[in-house]
Amino acid sequence: MEVIGRTGNGNVSSSSSRPSSVKIGALFTYDSVIGRAAGPAIAAAVDDVNSDPSILPGTTLNFVIRDTNCSGFVGTMEALQLMENEVVAAIGPQSSGIAHVISHVVNELNVPLLSFGATDPTLTSLQYPYFLRTTQSDYYQMHAVADLVEYYGWREVIAIFVDDDYGRNGISVLGDALSKKRAKISYKAPFSPGASRSAINSLLVGANLMESRVFVVHVNPDTGLTIFSVAKSLGMTAGSYVWIATDWLPSVLDSTEPVDIDTMNLLQGVVALRHHTPDTDLKKNFISRWKNLKYKENSPSGFNSYALYAYDSVWLVAHALDALLNEGGKFTFSNDPKLHDTNGSMLNLSSLRVFDGGQQFLQTLLRMNFTGLSGEIRFDADKNLVNPAYDVLNIGGTGSRRIGYWSNYSGLSVVAPEILYTKPPNSSSNRHLYSVIWPGEITATPRGWVFPNNGMPLRIAVPNRVSYNEFVAKDKSPPGVKGYCIDVFEAAVNLLPYPVPHNYIMYGNGKRNPIYNDIVQQVALNVKHQYYVSLVGAIELCILIFNFGFQNLAVGDITIVTNRTKLVDFTQPYMESGLVVVAPVQKLKSSPWAFLKPFTIPMWLVTGGFFLFVGAVVWILEHRFNNEFRGPPSQQLVTIFCFKTLLGLDAGENTVSSLGRVVLIVWLFVVLIINSSYTASLTSILTVQQLTSQIEGIDSLISSTEPIGVQDGSFAWNYLVDELKIAESRLVKLKNMEEYSIALARGPKGGGVAAIVDELPYIELFMSKTNCEFRTVGQEFTKSGWGFAFQRDSPLAIDLSTAILQLSENGDLQKIHNKWLTYNECSMDLSPADGGGSRLSLKSFWGLFLICGIACFLALIFFFCRVCGQFRRFGSEDEESIEEIEHDTSTSGRRTLRSTSFKDLIDFIDRKEAEIKEILKRRNSDNKRPSQSSDG
């Protein structure tokens, strides 16, 4: 078949391979907000394509329109009739629900389906290979809503949505996006499509009973305004409410001409999202000619963003057809055997034919890349348009005001996304939004939640304790309770910017302290309590439990421990806490041998040894020079052991040799330091009061087999058993301070306990009440704090944490502490029974001893080297010199010097230095005399 192409720019193009016309289909609801804008846009796009000689030359683009009438059944029938026309592509539908149904039809016939209005994220699944979305997916829109919730610091939202594929799947994505921001959907309020006003009224009344005041509305454009009308009548558009609408609302407002004042009054303060399309010349030109489009003569609707997506969908098909034809693609159809075998059905399914080039055409569509009215038309790997972005609008007055943008590339910003695309991600410094005027003309950001309007004040349960009433106790005066915990709670509540009505209810039988691990667990499980039950394994707590709506809360000195943080959220700790060991103590008695305690036994032995060693070294060095270091052996031993000599204190025992003086100076330095340290340690031992206990800390307590006292109801029981593996048979429950004192005084042999393990605040109060008769031993072996326990993600927990920090910063928390918990300070640690904490050990002085030893060793080496040198000079003497030496030694009563034996060496060393020098001098004179005679 030969087809003559169209003429454009003076050129005529003809091709025998190009068809003269190609049919495309369009499916949407004529009488709808989206359809009234999409219809003229599609018709205008087809005219523009056919009048443009640069696209599809020689081929006319024809389109067939079918009205789905917002019905899945009607839409399916219309889609089947549309496919009988052998269309190569179908544009639409606008409804996600109808798109799900029609996608099965196009899958069978291999006809691409390009939807400009079906935003359900699940349509991009592999189940629908021929579905192609030419608008933005709600996947991105719901992440934009989640970023808004996080930006304003809200933790819970209420979702109002139409209960169809579009609404359910969009809200499902919103829940996942919020969970990544540590927020959640606290209540879902679905309604059926086409629900009556009374049904919507009942729905909003139920939602208004919830504590969250952040409402996300995700509905169809044609029914969404009814929700705001009902909310207005219920007073839900006043201050403290937050309304976030998805893109359906801007679509309604943009398409309404002129502006309806009554409608705008319903929407004051609403924040909405609108598809972002860049302000290009193409877009401006299209908007300027919108009013003159001949297809809008009977349409009362104005322009909205879906018109741009519908217009670009036609051009996307045209570009893909042109590319496919240029590649030699064929547009042929063939019969489907499945549709011919209808088992006698009257449906004319045999008229439906399969598009043979459907798969090739789909791939061509996916690789298209051009700029349309809505921006860049290009698909990613998930068949979604690239660079999804939304305008963030604040509705007020008679219109809307753009307060920022959101894009998948840069998040929230006041800078247009197309500008940020040119910058590296996360590089923008404008990650914020402009100010918002909220419902009720409020400029301050609403906190996003209130106490439900059910007329019930908070029910606060207070434990009826039998000990430590300073923390919490029953009181005859209002409000019925008193104590440190109550004052902290009341002070924190008074700092909140909203009232918190509450009543206190005593919890417990008053005969024993309640146990609260199960209470914390039941707070997490949302269980209401109105009576006392025995619970296992919790801290001795001042517990305040109250219920509002569906939430329980525990307030008091609840210890923040790991197993509890897995169940509930805690506020900022308002008191530091931790487990300590308290034990009975006694004063150490004075001992006549106290003077030995400053040094350890090794220190005494080494010091004594060095006294003898240094004395011997000094004797060796002084023996040849100093007459006071000579004499009979008994006298020499006395000299070595003489204390005065060693200390150099006797004026009659002066060192003469240089080496001896060096060694003595070093030793005096060592003695000075040791003496000073000994004096200081002995003074501390004799003057500082020493206390002793058989238990030195948690380690010695674990290794022993003696009983351990634990406060009744304390989490310490579980900690000792589960974490430290202490047998339960060793643990003894104690109810009050009197039992503490009795058990510790009796001791393990008298039926009491060796020590008590409890939290530091209780122990400080206990020791003060007992006049410091008992003390803590060892270190605090756990670190924790007291806080208020809330159900997960409770907004009140954040506000109370902020209030507690304010109390701490302005000093009010310390004032409350001083009011209830003033006590005498007790020393919190003990000296060991043997005084080992103040004894001096060898490791503190081994460096001094090392220096002294090295000095002695070097002095001895130098001394012996010098003596050996002198001795060698005598070894070469002749017989005459030897006889002279022997004669001299006989007159002095000394032994004869031998030149070669060790005995001779010892005898030589024993000689006085002066005698050796005299002999050497005399020998030198005798050696010179013969030579002088011969010269004469």
Side-chain angles (χ1 to χ4, degrees), residues 594-629:
F595 69 90
L596 295 176
K597 289 184 178 180
F599 288 166
T600 60
I601 294 177
M603 182 65 182
W604 278 117
L605 295 177
V606 173
T607 303
F610 259 83
F611 266 96
L612 298 178
F613 174 68
V614 173
V617 172
V618 173
W619 181 87
I620 293 173
L621 298 177
E622 291 291 320
H623 181 70
R624 303 186 71 202
F625 297 91
N626 197 336
N627 292 329
E628 296 178 359
F629 286 82

Side-chain angles (χ1 to χ4, degrees), residues 158 204-213 451-454 549-550:
I158 294 176
L204 292 183
V205 168
N208 199 35
L209 294 176
M210 303 297 105
E211 66 180 35
S212 177
R213 285 295 179 264
F451 292 108
N453 187 22
N454 54 16
F550 299 98

Side-chain angles (χ1 to χ4, degrees), residues 555-611:
V555 181
D557 54 340
I558 308 172
T559 303
I560 304 174
V561 293
T562 303
N563 62 334
R564 292 177 182 170
T565 57
K566 296 177 181 178
L567 301 176
V568 297
D569 285 342
F570 282 94
T571 61
Q572 172 75 20
Y574 63 88
M575 174 175 278
E576 294 183 357
S577 180
L579 292 178
V580 294
V581 178
V582 61
V585 297
Q586 61 183 3
K587 295 182 180 179
L588 285 177
K589 296 180 180 180
S590 179
S591 172
W593 303 101
F595 69 90
L596 295 176
K597 289 184 178 180
F599 288 166
T600 60
I601 294 177
M603 182 65 182
W604 278 117
L605 295 177
V606 173
T607 303
F610 259 83
F611 266 96

Side-chain angles (χ1 to χ4, degrees), residues 772-783:
C772 300
E773 182 180 353
F774 307 99
R775 304 291 181 87
T776 59
V777 293
Q779 300 295 323
E780 186 177 0
F781 58 93
T782 65
K783 289 290 185 180

